[in-house]
Short mmCIF file of all heavy atoms in Angstrom, two decimals:
data_model
loop_
_atom_site.label_atom_id
_atom_site.label_comp_id
_atom_site.label_asym_id
_atom_site.label_seq_id
_atom_site.Cartn_x
_atom_site.Cartn_y
_atom_site.Cartn_z
N TYR G 485 3.87 5.89 -11.57
CA TYR G 485 2.91 5.90 -12.67
C TYR G 485 1.50 6.29 -12.28
O TYR G 485 0.56 5.54 -12.46
CB TYR G 485 2.95 4.54 -13.42
CG TYR G 485 4.34 4.25 -13.95
CD1 TYR G 485 5.27 3.52 -13.17
CD2 TYR G 485 4.76 4.75 -15.16
CE1 TYR G 485 6.56 3.29 -13.63
CE2 TYR G 485 6.05 4.53 -15.63
CZ TYR G 485 6.94 3.79 -14.88
OH TYR G 485 8.20 3.57 -15.34
N PHE G 493 6.26 9.59 -18.57
CA PHE G 493 7.03 8.46 -19.13
C PHE G 493 6.83 8.38 -20.65
O PHE G 493 7.78 8.17 -21.40
CB PHE G 493 6.68 7.13 -18.47
CG PHE G 493 7.44 5.99 -19.11
CD1 PHE G 493 8.81 5.91 -18.96
CD2 PHE G 493 6.80 5.05 -19.90
CE1 PHE G 493 9.55 4.91 -19.60
CE2 PHE G 493 7.52 4.05 -20.54
CZ PHE G 493 8.90 3.99 -20.37
N ILE G 496 9.12 10.78 -22.09
CA ILE G 496 10.50 10.26 -22.05
C ILE G 496 10.76 9.40 -23.28
O ILE G 496 11.82 9.50 -23.91
CB ILE G 496 10.73 9.45 -20.74
CG1 ILE G 496 10.83 10.41 -19.54
CG2 ILE G 496 12.01 8.62 -20.84
CD1 ILE G 496 10.90 9.70 -18.19
N TYR G 502 16.63 9.07 -25.20
CA TYR G 502 16.10 7.82 -24.63
C TYR G 502 15.72 6.89 -25.78
O TYR G 502 14.59 6.86 -26.25
CB TYR G 502 14.88 8.12 -23.75
CG TYR G 502 14.41 6.96 -22.90
CD1 TYR G 502 15.02 6.64 -21.70
CD2 TYR G 502 13.35 6.18 -23.33
CE1 TYR G 502 14.58 5.58 -20.92
CE2 TYR G 502 12.89 5.10 -22.54
CZ TYR G 502 13.52 4.82 -21.35
OH TYR G 502 13.07 3.76 -20.58
N LEU G 504 15.64 3.65 -25.82
CA LEU G 504 15.19 2.33 -25.37
C LEU G 504 13.88 1.87 -26.04
O LEU G 504 13.81 0.79 -26.64
CB LEU G 504 15.06 2.39 -23.85
CG LEU G 504 14.89 1.12 -23.03
CD1 LEU G 504 15.36 1.35 -21.60
CD2 LEU G 504 13.46 0.64 -23.01
N GLY G 608 10.03 -3.95 -22.88
CA GLY G 608 10.41 -2.59 -22.42
C GLY G 608 11.46 -2.53 -21.34
O GLY G 608 11.69 -1.49 -20.74
N SER G 609 12.14 -3.64 -21.06
CA SER G 609 13.17 -3.69 -20.02
C SER G 609 12.63 -3.37 -18.62
O SER G 609 13.37 -2.90 -17.76
CB SER G 609 14.36 -2.76 -20.35
OG SER G 609 15.52 -3.18 -19.67
N THR G 610 11.36 -3.69 -18.41
CA THR G 610 10.80 -3.54 -17.07
C THR G 610 11.53 -4.45 -16.09
O THR G 610 11.69 -4.11 -14.90
CB THR G 610 9.29 -3.84 -17.07
OG1 THR G 610 8.66 -3.02 -18.06
CG2 THR G 610 8.66 -3.57 -15.72
N ASN G 613 14.09 -3.16 -13.59
CA ASN G 613 13.77 -2.52 -12.29
C ASN G 613 14.04 -3.46 -11.11
O ASN G 613 14.19 -3.00 -10.00
CB ASN G 613 12.30 -2.07 -12.26
CG ASN G 613 12.05 -0.76 -12.98
OD1 ASN G 613 10.94 -0.52 -13.44
ND2 ASN G 613 13.04 0.09 -13.12
N TYR G 653 18.94 9.12 -18.85
CA TYR G 653 18.22 9.28 -17.58
C TYR G 653 18.43 10.68 -16.98
O TYR G 653 18.06 10.93 -15.83
CB TYR G 653 18.67 8.18 -16.59
CG TYR G 653 18.20 6.84 -17.06
CD1 TYR G 653 18.97 6.05 -17.90
CD2 TYR G 653 16.93 6.37 -16.69
CE1 TYR G 653 18.51 4.83 -18.38
CE2 TYR G 653 16.47 5.14 -17.15
CZ TYR G 653 17.26 4.38 -17.98
OH TYR G 653 16.80 3.17 -18.44
N THR G 660 12.93 13.74 -17.55
CA THR G 660 13.19 12.66 -16.57
C THR G 660 13.23 13.24 -15.15
O THR G 660 12.74 12.62 -14.20
CB THR G 660 14.48 11.90 -16.89
OG1 THR G 660 14.43 11.50 -18.28
CG2 THR G 660 14.62 10.68 -16.02
N PHE G 663 9.71 13.64 -14.14
CA PHE G 663 9.17 12.31 -13.87
C PHE G 663 9.58 11.86 -12.47
O PHE G 663 8.76 11.35 -11.69
CB PHE G 663 9.72 11.35 -14.94
CG PHE G 663 9.40 9.90 -14.77
CD1 PHE G 663 8.12 9.41 -15.03
CD2 PHE G 663 10.40 8.99 -14.38
CE1 PHE G 663 7.85 8.07 -14.90
CE2 PHE G 663 10.12 7.65 -14.27
CZ PHE G 663 8.84 7.18 -14.52
N MET G 699 18.35 6.24 -10.04
CA MET G 699 17.79 7.60 -9.97
C MET G 699 17.59 7.94 -8.50
O MET G 699 17.11 7.10 -7.71
CB MET G 699 16.47 7.69 -10.70
CG MET G 699 16.60 7.43 -12.20
SD MET G 699 15.47 8.44 -13.20
CE MET G 699 13.92 8.08 -12.44
N GLU G 729 14.73 4.73 -8.16
CA GLU G 729 14.63 3.69 -9.20
C GLU G 729 15.97 3.09 -9.51
O GLU G 729 17.00 3.77 -9.43
CB GLU G 729 14.01 4.25 -10.51
CG GLU G 729 13.63 3.17 -11.49
CD GLU G 729 12.98 3.70 -12.78
OE1 GLU G 729 13.28 4.84 -13.19
OE2 GLU G 729 12.17 2.96 -13.36
N CYS G 731 17.66 0.88 -12.77
CA CYS G 731 17.44 0.40 -14.14
C CYS G 731 18.67 -0.42 -14.52
O CYS G 731 19.69 0.13 -14.97
CB CYS G 731 17.24 1.56 -15.09
SG CYS G 731 16.01 2.77 -14.51
N LYS G 733 21.20 -2.84 -16.45
CA LYS G 733 21.59 -3.01 -17.85
C LYS G 733 22.30 -4.35 -17.98
O LYS G 733 22.95 -4.81 -17.02
CB LYS G 733 22.51 -1.86 -18.28
CG LYS G 733 21.91 -0.46 -18.07
CD LYS G 733 20.61 -0.24 -18.82
CE LYS G 733 19.87 1.00 -18.37
NZ LYS G 733 18.53 1.14 -18.96
C1 LIG A 1863 9.97 1.63 -17.85
C2 LIG A 1863 11.50 0.75 -16.26
C3 LIG A 1863 11.92 0.52 -18.59
O1 LIG A 1863 14.13 1.82 -16.74
O2 LIG A 1863 14.31 2.99 -18.53
C4 LIG A 1863 12.73 5.80 -17.79
C5 LIG A 1863 11.70 3.72 -16.63
N1 LIG A 1863 12.88 5.67 -15.67
N2 LIG A 1863 13.39 6.87 -17.37
C6 LIG A 1863 13.62 2.50 -17.62
C7 LIG A 1863 12.42 5.04 -16.71
C8 LIG A 1863 13.47 6.82 -16.08
C9 LIG A 1863 12.12 2.73 -17.64
N3 LIG A 1863 11.37 1.41 -17.56
#
Side-chain angles (χ1 to χ4, degrees):
Y485 302 93
F493 178 67
I496 287 173
Y502 191 82
L504 193 156
S609 203
T610 306
N613 281 154
Y653 292 89
T660 308
F663 174 74
M699 296 215 307
E729 192 178 29
C731 310
K733 305 299 167 187

